[in-house]
Amino acid sequence: MQLSEQEIIRREKLGKLREIGINPYPADLYPVNTTSKQVKENFEEGKQVVISGRLMSRRIQGKASFAELQDSEGKIQVYFNRDEICTGDDKTLYNDVYKKLLDIGDIIGIEGDLFTTQVGEKTVMVKNFTLLSKSLRPLPLPKVDADGKVFDEFNDPEMRYRRRYADLVVNPHVKEVFIKRTKLFNAMRNFFNDSGYFEVETPILQPIPGGAAARPFITHHNSLDIPLYMRIANELYLKRLIVGGFDGVYEFSKNFRNEGMDKTHNPEFTAMEIYVSYKDYNWMMDFCEKLLEHCAIAVNGTSEATFGEHKINFKAPYARVTMADSIKHFTGFDITGKTETEIFEAAKGLGIEVDETMGKGKLIDEIFGEKCEGNYIQPTFITDYPKEMSPLCKEHRDNPELTERFELMVCGKEIANAYSELNDPIDQRERFEHQLKLAAKGDDEATEFIDEDFLRALEYGMPPTSGMGIGMDRLIMFLTNNQSIQEVLFFPQMRPERKAVALSDEGKAVLNILKKSNKLPLEELKVASGLSNKKWDKTIKELTKNNAAKVAKTEEGLFVELA
C-alpha cells in the first residue's frame, strides 16, 4: 500500500502517542451524557457536560484554541485553554498531544463547562479531553481561499458513493436523506400495523424465481446440490400466507434483479408488498392514496414534495385513468379489441422500436411507456391493464380482455403496482403456460418457470384478495428531491474500483481533464492538456498502458475515454 505524505505523518504521530503512553484506540467506556444539538437546545451557562465527536477544524493561538467538534447531531464549538486543561508545570497534554499529535478527523471525548463567547457562540470550555480514535487518513474536506471562496469540495458522485463513510462526515446534509428514509419505513409500518396487518418475512433464496418477470441472480447450495435464485419478488410466498389464513400480511423485502443499472434502477432494491383478503383493486386504490398522503406528511411535514422542477401533491384522492383511455388520448389509437398484428403495426407507425418476439402485452406496454407514461406528473392511477400484461391478476369483472390492475404514476415513473389477485388455480395455470410460450418465442419479460407449489396452494383455496407492491427506493427519491437512486442508498452497486497506479504529473493532469466529461475527442484533449507532441504521445501511452484511459475509434474520429 502506497501512503501519501500526510498518511505517513499521521502514522508517525500514532507511534509517538503510544510512546508517551496514550492508547489511540482505547476500549474503555466513554461516559457521553449529551449531544451538540442537546447542548444548544438546553443551554445552561456553566453546566458541566461530557461530549464526544470528530475534530473538524481548529484555530490554535499560542496557549488557546477554538475548535469545532462534530457528532451525530451536528457541530459545537469547543475552547481549549492550556491553563484550564493542564495543572502544574506539566503542559504535555496541551502542548504535545493537542497541538502536535492530534489531527482533523480524530475522534475525541471532552469534559467541560458551557459558556457563551463574546460574539454569542455557545461553546464548551474544555477541562479534560481523551483521544478515542486516531484518524490515519485525512478527510476530503473542502478548501477555502483567501477571499473565503470554498473550492475542491467532495462532490464527485462516484467517490461519494464508494466512500459513503467519508461523504456522511464531510457532507452532513446527506444524512438527512437517510433519516427521512427511515421515517418513511416507520410511517408505512405504523400505518399497516394500525390497520391490523401482520409483518412477515419470506425466503430470499428460492428454488424458483417467481412473482415477477426478471432475470435472477443464480447461486448454488452445496449441501443440497441444487441451484437457488435470489428473490426477484416475494408475491407468491405472501399469497401462500393468505391461503394459510392471514387476513393481511406485508413485508419490506430486499429484491435482486440481474438487469441494467441507471438512475432509477439498482440490482439490489427494497420493495414493500402487502396482501389483504376480501378486498379488491378499487379498495386498494383508496388505501394506497391514504397511505402515501400519511407517509409524505410523516417524512416532510406536508403532503407536498418537490421533485426537480415539479411540485407533487400526495394528498388524496388521485386521478384514475384506464390504460386504453390513456393510450387513445396521447396517440389517437384505441387498443380495445385489437389483434396482436394490429397493435404491432400501430406501434411501428408511432415510431416505437418493436420486434417479432414481442407479444400483445409487451407491445401495449411499449406504447404506453413511450407515449403516455411520462405525461403523468401528479399521482395518477393507471387502471385496467390488458390480460396479456398481467399473468397474476384477476380478469376484469366487466371485460374479459382486461384485468383488475392499477399502477400509480408519479413524475412519469411507476411507484406502485396492484391487483385484484387471481385466485382461480386453473386460470392461473393457463396463464403460466402462456407465459412459457411467450418466453420460448423470445419475450424477455415473460416468466420461464411454473411454480407448481404455488398452484397447489391456490388449489386449497385463496379468498378474494388485493395486493400491492411499492418501490421504496423510488418513493424516497420523490420525497427527498433526488434524481438518482444512488443518492438514497447508503451503498449502491458500483463497478470494482480501479487499481491505483502511479502516474506522472502530466498523466494526472490529462486524467483530471478527462474526468470532467468521461470522453473527449483526442485532438480536443491534446489541446486542452497543453502538452508538446512528444510529451503528449508519451502521456497517452502511459494512460492506456495503466488502463486509466482508452482510445476508441468512431465514425466521428478518435476519442479518449476513461477506462
Side-chain angles (χ1 to χ4, degrees), residues 52-55 69 103 105-109 130-135:
S52 66
R54 196 181 291 272
L55 196 60
L69 199 73
D103 289 294
D106 288 351
I107 298 172
I108 61 175
T130 304
L131 176 61
L132 300 176
S133 183
K134 181 67 182 167
S135 171

Side-chain angles (χ1 to χ4, degrees), residues 17-18 206 250 341 400 426 435 450 485 512:
L17 285 164
R18 285 178 167 143
Q206 302 179 354
Y250 72 93
T341 301
I426 296 174
Q435 287 285 303
I450 292 182
I485 195 171
N512 284 335

Side-chain angles (χ1 to χ4, degrees), residues 66-187:
F66 280 101
E68 191 174 49
L69 199 73
Q70 178 173 296
D71 62 12
S72 63
E73 295 192 349
K75 295 179 180 178
I76 188 77
Q77 180 170 272
V78 293
Y79 177 64
F80 289 81
N81 184 293
R82 185 188 66 190
D83 296 334
E84 292 287 341
I85 295 169
C86 306
T87 57
D89 296 329
D90 185 1
K91 308 298 182 185
T92 302
L93 190 59
Y94 182 83
N95 288 345
D96 294 337
V97 177
Y98 175 73
K99 289 178 68 174
K100 298 178 182 178
L101 300 180
L102 291 194
D103 289 294
I104 302 303
D106 288 351
I107 298 172
I108 61 175
I110 287 173
E111 300 170 47
D113 301 338
L114 302 184
F115 78 102
T116 306
T117 65
Q118 291 181 349
V119 295
E121 183 79 14
K122 295 171 181 177
T123 307
V124 181
M125 167 76 75
V126 180
K127 298 294 185 179
N128 189 29
F129 71 89
T130 304
L131 176 61
L132 300 176
S133 183
K134 181 67 182 167
S135 171
L136 299 184
R137 185 183 291 267
L139 290 169
L141 290 166
K143 299 176 178 63
V144 182
D145 64 18
D147 297 324
K149 184 180 178 181
V150 177
F151 65 100
D152 198 20
E153 295 179 85
F154 189 57
N155 55 15
D156 177 73
E158 181 176 347
M159 294 302 293
R160 289 180 49 243
Y161 304 153
R162 287 192 189 281
R163 304 182 188 180
R164 184 66 86 186
Y165 37 85
D167 184 32
L168 291 165
V169 173
V170 302
N171 296 318
H173 63 277
V174 170
K175 189 183 294 183
E176 290 302 312
V177 173
F178 296 98
I179 291 172
K180 288 187 173 184
R181 183 184 174 105
T182 296
K183 285 182 178 179
L184 171 62
F185 278 74
N186 289 342

Side-chain angles (χ1 to χ4, degrees), residues 417-563:
N417 186 19
Y419 309 153
S420 292
E421 301 296 336
L422 178 58
N423 60 343
D424 178 342
I426 296 174
D427 189 0
Q428 182 65 84
R429 180 176 290 279
E430 290 172 353
R431 303 264 199 106
F432 278 158
E433 289 172 349
H434 181 64
Q435 287 285 303
L436 290 183
K437 291 177 184 177
L438 291 176
K441 185 181 173 182
D443 189 334
D444 59 1
E445 292 196 5
T447 181
E448 300 178 42
F449 300 90
I450 292 182
D451 191 333
E452 292 290 349
D453 181 67
F454 173 65
L455 290 172
R456 179 168 56 199
L458 286 187
E459 288 170 358
Y460 281 102
M462 185 176 84
T465 298
S466 183
M468 176 174 65
I470 292 177
M472 299 300 290
D473 305 318
R474 194 172 289 180
L475 178 56
I476 196 62
M477 286 171 61
F478 290 126
L479 292 175
T480 59
N481 194 16
N482 276 296
Q483 307 290 319
S484 171
I485 195 171
Q486 285 81 12
E487 291 288 353
V488 300
L489 302 174
F490 270 129
F491 303 105
Q493 193 66 44
M494 306 284 289
R495 289 184 184 276
E497 195 168 2
R498 295 188 188 95
K499 208 169 185 178
V501 293
L503 296 176
S504 64
D505 290 342
E506 291 84 359
K508 291 176 184 175
V510 171
L511 202 60
N512 284 335
I513 296 171
L514 192 58
K515 281 181 178 178
K516 294 176 182 177
S517 56
N518 288 334
K519 183 178 179 180
L520 285 171
L522 186 140
E523 285 302 319
E524 183 179 325
L525 182 60
K526 180 181 177 182
V527 171
S529 73
L531 298 175
S532 65
N533 288 336
K534 185 176 180 180
K535 281 192 174 182
W536 168 255
D537 290 342
K538 184 179 178 182
T539 300
I540 202 70
K541 284 179 182 178
E542 175 192 23
L543 292 174
T544 54
K545 181 181 177 182
N546 287 307
N547 294 319
K550 60 183 178 181
V551 179
K553 189 175 182 179
T554 69
E555 293 180 359
E556 292 81 20
L558 291 175
F559 280 78
V560 184
E561 57 185 342
L562 292 174

Side-chain angles (χ1 to χ4, degrees), residues 204-206 209 216-219 228-233 255-257:
I204 291 176
L205 293 175
Q206 302 179 354
F217 287 94
I218 306 172
T219 187
L228 289 174
Y229 302 86
M230 296 186 76
R231 174 170 59 198
I232 59 173
N255 296 345
F256 307 85
R257 298 185 182 179

Side-chain angles (χ1 to χ4, degrees), residues 118-368:
Q118 291 181 349
V119 295
E121 183 79 14
K122 295 171 181 177
T123 307
V124 181
M125 167 76 75
V126 180
K127 298 294 185 179
N128 189 29
F129 71 89
T130 304
L131 176 61
L132 300 176
S133 183
K134 181 67 182 167
S135 171
L136 299 184
R137 185 183 291 267
L139 290 169
L141 290 166
K143 299 176 178 63
V144 182
D145 64 18
D147 297 324
K149 184 180 178 181
V150 177
F151 65 100
D152 198 20
E153 295 179 85
F154 189 57
N155 55 15
D156 177 73
E158 181 176 347
M159 294 302 293
R160 289 180 49 243
Y161 304 153
R162 287 192 189 281
R163 304 182 188 180
R164 184 66 86 186
Y165 37 85
D167 184 32
L168 291 165
V169 173
V170 302
N171 296 318
H173 63 277
V174 170
K175 189 183 294 183
E176 290 302 312
V177 173
F178 296 98
I179 291 172
K180 288 187 173 184
R181 183 184 174 105
T182 296
K183 285 182 178 179
L184 171 62
F185 278 74
N186 289 342
M188 194 171 285
R189 179 175 280 114
N190 291 337
F191 192 89
F192 294 151
N193 292 344
D194 290 344
S195 300
Y197 306 134
F198 189 60
E199 184 170 10
V200 299
E201 293 178 296
T202 61
I204 291 176
L205 293 175
Q206 302 179 354
I208 292 175
R215 182 185 300 153
F217 287 94
I218 306 172
T219 187
H220 186 82
H221 192 288
N222 289 334
S223 296
L224 296 177
D225 193 24
I226 59 170
L228 289 174
Y229 302 86
M230 296 186 76
R231 174 170 59 198
I232 59 173
N234 54 351
E235 176 171 345
L236 303 188
Y237 282 93
L238 292 174
K239 287 181 183 177
R240 285 170 168 93
L241 298 178
I242 295 294
V243 171
F246 286 97
D247 284 336
V249 293
Y250 72 93
E251 180 178 19
F252 294 100
S253 66
K254 281 290 186 183
N255 296 345
F256 307 85
R257 298 185 182 179
N258 195 358
E259 298 174 340
M261 295 168 57
D262 57 33
K263 287 189 173 183
T264 58
H265 295 88
N266 193 66
E268 174 186 349
F269 63 98
T270 303
M272 183 290 304
E273 293 204 24
I274 182 168
Y275 293 82
V276 185
S277 58
Y278 308 107
K279 308 297 183 186
D280 66 4
Y281 80 138
N282 292 308
W283 176 90
M284 189 61 82
M285 274 188 268
D286 295 338
F287 184 79
C288 176
E289 59 194 10
K290 291 172 188 172
L291 168 69
L292 294 187
E293 180 181 351
H294 168 81
C295 289
I297 293 171
V299 171
N300 290 325
T302 172
S303 63
E304 293 186 344
T306 299
F307 187 72
E309 61 185 15
H310 303 296
K311 280 275 190 186
I312 313 165
N313 196 338
F314 285 97
K315 185 173 180 58
Y318 305 158
R320 304 181 185 193
V321 182
T322 68
M323 174 165 275
D325 285 347
S326 177
I327 291 175
K328 187 175 181 180
H329 176 74
F330 289 109
T331 70
F333 177 68
D334 189 352
I335 62 173
T336 306
K338 298 297 191 295
T339 65
E340 183 175 311
T341 301
E342 289 174 315
I343 295 171
F344 182 87
E345 293 302 323
K348 281 175 47 177
L350 291 167
I352 297 170
E353 192 173 328
V354 293
D355 60 59
E356 300 295 338
T357 67
M358 294 180 179
K360 187 175 179 180
K362 175 67 172 172
L363 291 167
I364 293 171
D365 192 33
E366 289 293 315
I367 294 173
F368 179 77

